[in-house]
Amino acid sequence: MSLLEVHPIAAIATTPMAAKTLQKLCQDGIILWVPKSLGDVFGAKVYTGSLKTHVAELWKTHRGLIFGLATGAVVRLIAPLVQHKSCDPAVVVVDETGKFVVSLCSGHQGGADKLTQAIAHLLNATPVLTGTASTLGLPAVDTIGIPFGWQRGEGNWTEVSAAVARNEPVQVIQEAGSTLWQSTASFQNSSLTLETTFNSPAVCITPRSLSYTSNPSIYWHPRVLWVGIGCERGTSRKLIESAIKQVCQEYQLAEQAIAGIATIDLKADEVGLVELCRDRHFPLRTFPADILRSITVPNPSKIVNAEVGTPSVAEAAALSAAKARNLLVTKQIFRASAEFQGAVTIAIAQAEQEYTGRIGKLLLVGIGPGQLNQITPAAQAAIASADVVIGYSLYVDLIAPLFQPHQIVEALPITQERQRAQRAISLAQWGLTVAVVSSGDIGIYGMAGLVLEELQIQGWDGKMPKVEVFPGITAMQAAAARLGAPLMHDFCAISLSDLLTPWQVIEKRLHAAAQADFVTALYNPRSQTRIQQLTRAIQIFLQYRDPQTPVAVVRSAYRQDEQITLTSLDKLSDVPVDMLTTVLIGNQSTRTQGDWMITPRGYNAVLS
């Protein structure tokens, strides 16, 4: 299931009904396991031997387990395996009929709460969350840094979490990393404060290892430190690692705050560097000599310039990777000893934006006409799973009940579609999961096209960030459903907005649709400043259609202020129309019956 963050995930069922329920979840990354007694059903894998033994094996290799069993049975199965919430997999229990989804174990750090919410949306089930942060909508201080790739440091995590749950003042001291989390509803409604407080616990967000307060505190370390390295060929990994450790200790920098290693491209295959980055999960960023040579550094070297074509490697590489002007640590040289081989130079610069270490996603979500029950379960799950939700303010308000307290929600004005697309792409490229919401179907006059166009302009490779599109009920479909069956024969949709399409092109399409007798849906028929386009469209259709052709004007379908007007083509100009309106113009066989609009499918229909 690509929209769930916890991978890999195993689902386990021991009865046919439970297997049928969990089979609905078996998409990317989720594998359903059943006992041999059920046979090869539902596309599941079969385990042999005892369930207890099988669960113990899955526990070692999976980050999430979904059980279609009784809660008590699951508790007995996992009891011998549970160690600590920081390393245990997420455990979720789903009843056989799929009515309830229970977050049982590792709710915060393991992601069980998030997994539970996503499954509940997919199954249209009730999520059961019992953690204080989840039930009260408070920030989970032990997970706030996860979306941004922050690393957990030292601290009294239990005591600080308890203070937040008791609504006691907890000071936030943030020196680095994104502040987007401070805009979330959970932060705004909590006792966390950016103001200086005395004798209160603290959440410290810093690249440094020093202690800020004697009060109970916890430390998150954003990965903002880029370590520039220059070294002799064949320098041992141990010397490089020891040098980094010594520099961090001397300058009171947390090794957890290291974003990655930067060096000259000649060192891209340096064994010690490659091994260190592989084992510590550091990205290795390399730069050609001409780029490094253009960087002004405090300690250039003629010797280095003669060797590799740039007067600086460590300092220039650190500044280049961090996109910074100044160094936190100027170059420090460490030479071979009896224990270590080679020589290495270390410099450190701090980036403004942290390295997340995550692959971002763009979830392009159509929310339909606006009512929550008109949104597909998959679309609801996508919205609930996102780190960030971006959309036009009206649409954001319509789906507000789907938001999680920890989510970042950004609502932009109606005229800033391209800015929304660019913002979403920027956050996804950084490593966040971003849901872009659009009314109706996001791929029909929605945001999907703008987002994909912008990605194309930026040279997107089609893979990263990942993109997934979730369809919705478009305005034309919603309006048709309210009217009966106006789209039962060939139909088309035309937008009257000439902001992105020249009016001459729109007129040509109006002539073609009217002459070809298509049932025609007109989108964006009129705005405050664009009032003549609909008048011209009516004139064009009257050239080819009977003036009595049935027309429906549907405003805000399925919303509280819904308005439906049935009229005729020659009287359409008398009906109020705006940007929330869809106009459906029937073809020559369209009829009305009471409040219904019907276009015969063509079978046994007699055209007049």
Side-chain angles (χ1 to χ4, degrees):
M1 184 174 298
S2 58
L3 55 91
L4 301 182
E5 292 285 331
V6 188
H7 288 300
I9 303 171
I12 304 157
T14 58
T15 67
M17 183 176 291
K20 186 176 181 180
T21 296
L22 297 187
Q23 190 269 339
K24 301 172 185 176
L25 309 177
C26 292
Q27 300 176 30
D28 302 337
I30 298 184
I31 298 174
L32 174 62
W33 290 90
V34 298
K36 189 176 182 180
S37 59
L38 290 187
D40 186 11
V41 294
F42 307 110
K45 287 192 174 183
V46 176
Y47 67 84
T48 56
S50 72
L51 176 59
K52 182 178 181 180
T53 301
H54 184 61
V55 170
E57 289 300 315
L58 295 175
W59 192 271
K60 301 174 186 175
T61 56
H62 287 65
R63 290 303 304 151
L65 300 177
I66 306 168
F67 290 90
L69 300 169
T71 303
V74 176
V75 169
R76 288 189 290 273
L77 278 169
I78 69 171
L81 307 173
V82 174
Q83 296 180 10
H84 191 270
K85 61 184 180 180
S86 63
C87 59
D88 291 333
V91 178
V92 175
V93 180
V94 181
D95 73 291
E96 284 198 347
T97 61
K99 293 181 179 178
F100 299 97
V101 186
V102 183
S103 175
L104 185 65
C105 181
S106 295
H108 289 161
Q109 295 183 42
D113 287 353
K114 192 173 184 180
L115 183 59
T116 295
Q117 293 278 14
I119 293 171
H121 281 297
L122 286 173
L123 298 180
N124 195 25
T126 301
V128 180
L129 309 175
T130 57
T132 301
S134 297
T135 55
L136 298 180
L138 298 174
V141 293
D142 55 350
T143 62
I144 56 173
I146 291 177
F148 311 109
W150 299 353
Q151 300 297 298
R152 283 165 56 101
E154 300 295 326
N156 192 330
W157 294 86
T158 300
E159 189 165 345
V160 175
S161 296
V164 173
R166 292 191 297 266
N167 207 34
E168 297 173 357
V170 175
Q171 182 180 0
V172 175
I173 303 171
Q174 183 163 5
E175 288 189 334
S178 173
T179 58
L180 284 174
W181 70 281
Q182 296 175 17
S183 69
T184 63
S186 62
F187 177 86
Q188 298 294 328
N189 298 327
S190 74
S191 59
L192 293 176
T193 177
L194 300 174
E195 297 178 0
T196 301
T197 59
F198 300 97
N199 301 318
S200 66
V203 176
C204 305
I205 305 167
T206 175
R208 301 188 177 277
S209 58
L210 53 82
S211 177
Y212 286 83
T213 174
S214 58
N215 299 322
S217 57
I218 58 175
Y219 287 83
W220 279 105
H221 299 299
R223 297 179 66 181
V224 292
L225 303 181
W226 284 94
V227 180
I229 291 182
C231 63
E232 292 180 353
R233 179 63 68 180
T235 297
S236 71
R237 169 190 167 168
K238 289 184 177 180
L239 177 59
I240 298 171
E241 204 161 21
S242 173
I244 293 173
K245 188 177 187 67
Q246 289 182 56
V247 169
C248 286
Q249 288 178 344
E250 181 180 350
Y251 288 87
Q252 294 185 300
L253 299 174
E255 286 191 61
Q256 296 101 314
I258 294 175
I261 304 299
T263 189
I264 192 168
D265 56 6
L266 295 174
K267 297 295 180 180
D269 61 348
E270 186 67 47
V271 175
L273 281 177
V274 172
E275 289 181 350
L276 174 65
C277 291
R278 178 197 64 201
D279 295 343
R280 297 283 294 272
H281 304 291
F282 291 153
L284 177 60
R285 293 191 177 170
T286 61
F287 300 91
D290 58 342
I291 295 294
L292 299 180
R293 190 167 54 245
S294 67
I295 306 296
T296 301
V297 297
N299 300 293
S301 168
K302 293 181 179 179
I303 296 175
V304 172
N305 188 44
E307 288 287 331
V308 296
T310 173
S312 172
V313 172
E315 292 183 336
L319 290 170
S320 296
K323 298 178 181 178
R325 293 184 177 181
N326 300 304
L327 292 163
L328 278 183
V329 179
T330 56
K331 71 178 185 182
Q332 312 287 305
I333 302 174
F334 298 82
R335 302 193 182 281
S337 64
E339 187 178 359
F340 301 130
Q341 173 185 342
V344 60
T345 303
I346 303 287
I348 300 177
Q350 180 173 329
E352 183 176 345
Q353 185 178 71
E354 61 268 52
Y355 172 75
T356 67
R358 300 174 65 201
I359 297 176
K361 298 178 185 177
L362 283 167
L363 309 177
L364 310 181
V365 185
I367 64 171
Q371 282 193 349
L372 298 184
N373 60 8
Q374 300 288 336
I375 306 175
T376 68
Q380 292 193 36
I383 293 168
S385 71
D387 300 315
V388 184
V389 180
I390 293 177
Y392 167 42
S393 54
L394 172 62
Y395 306 152
V396 166
D397 291 342
L398 288 172
I399 62 171
L402 296 178
F403 298 153
Q404 307 301 312
H406 63 272
Q407 286 181 306
I408 300 156
V409 179
E410 297 189 357
L412 282 79
I414 190 171
T415 57
Q416 296 186 12
E417 289 83 1
R418 192 162 296 279
Q419 290 92 327
R420 274 181 256 153
Q422 293 169 343
R423 173 63 170 166
I425 291 169
S426 174
L427 292 173
Q429 288 173 334
W430 182 31
L432 300 186
T433 297
V434 184
V436 180
V437 298
S438 190
S439 68
D441 186 291
I442 196 164
I444 300 177
Y445 303 126
M447 286 293 298
L450 279 175
V451 171
L452 291 171
E453 284 177 30
E454 190 64 32
L455 282 169
Q456 187 179 32
I457 291 171
Q458 297 183 21
W460 182 47
D461 63 0
K463 298 178 181 179
M464 295 177 61
K466 296 180 179 179
V467 175
E468 190 168 357
V469 182
F470 296 83
I473 300 171
T474 190
M476 178 172 60
Q477 294 172 291
R482 282 308 207 200
L483 296 165
L487 302 180
M488 285 303 293
H489 217 289
D490 297 340
F491 60 88
C492 67
I494 299 175
S495 171
L496 297 189
S497 173
D498 56 359
L499 293 176
L500 299 174
T501 305
W503 178 248
Q504 292 85 347
V505 174
I506 296 173
E507 270 207 9
K508 183 178 180 180
R509 291 171 180 171
L510 288 168
H511 277 284
Q515 187 174 17
D517 200 37
F518 283 110
V519 176
T520 305
L522 299 181
Y523 280 68
N524 308 312
R526 178 179 288 160
S527 68
Q528 292 181 345
T529 59
R530 187 175 41 79
I531 60 177
Q532 295 302 319
Q533 282 81 349
L534 179 59
T535 300
R536 180 60 184 144
I538 295 170
Q539 292 171 353
I540 292 172
F541 269 80
L542 282 171
Q543 294 178 32
Y544 306 97
R545 304 280 173 97
D546 188 314
Q548 297 303 308
T549 299
V551 174
V553 178
V554 182
R555 185 182 188 278
S556 299
Y558 289 96
R559 299 178 190 172
Q560 289 185 347
D561 56 346
E562 175 186 271
Q563 296 175 0
I564 299 175
T565 303
L566 288 176
T567 186
S568 57
L569 185 58
D570 60 344
K571 296 179 181 178
L572 175 55
S573 298
D574 300 330
V575 181
V577 169
D578 62 13
M579 287 293 287
L580 298 178
T581 303
T582 303
V583 177
L584 291 181
I585 302 175
N587 66 13
Q588 61 178 304
S589 65
T590 302
R591 301 289 183 266
T592 58
Q593 184 71 31
D595 294 333
W596 301 95
M597 186 174 179
I598 305 163
T599 300
R601 179 64 183 88
Y603 307 114
N604 301 318
V606 179
L607 298 180
S608 58

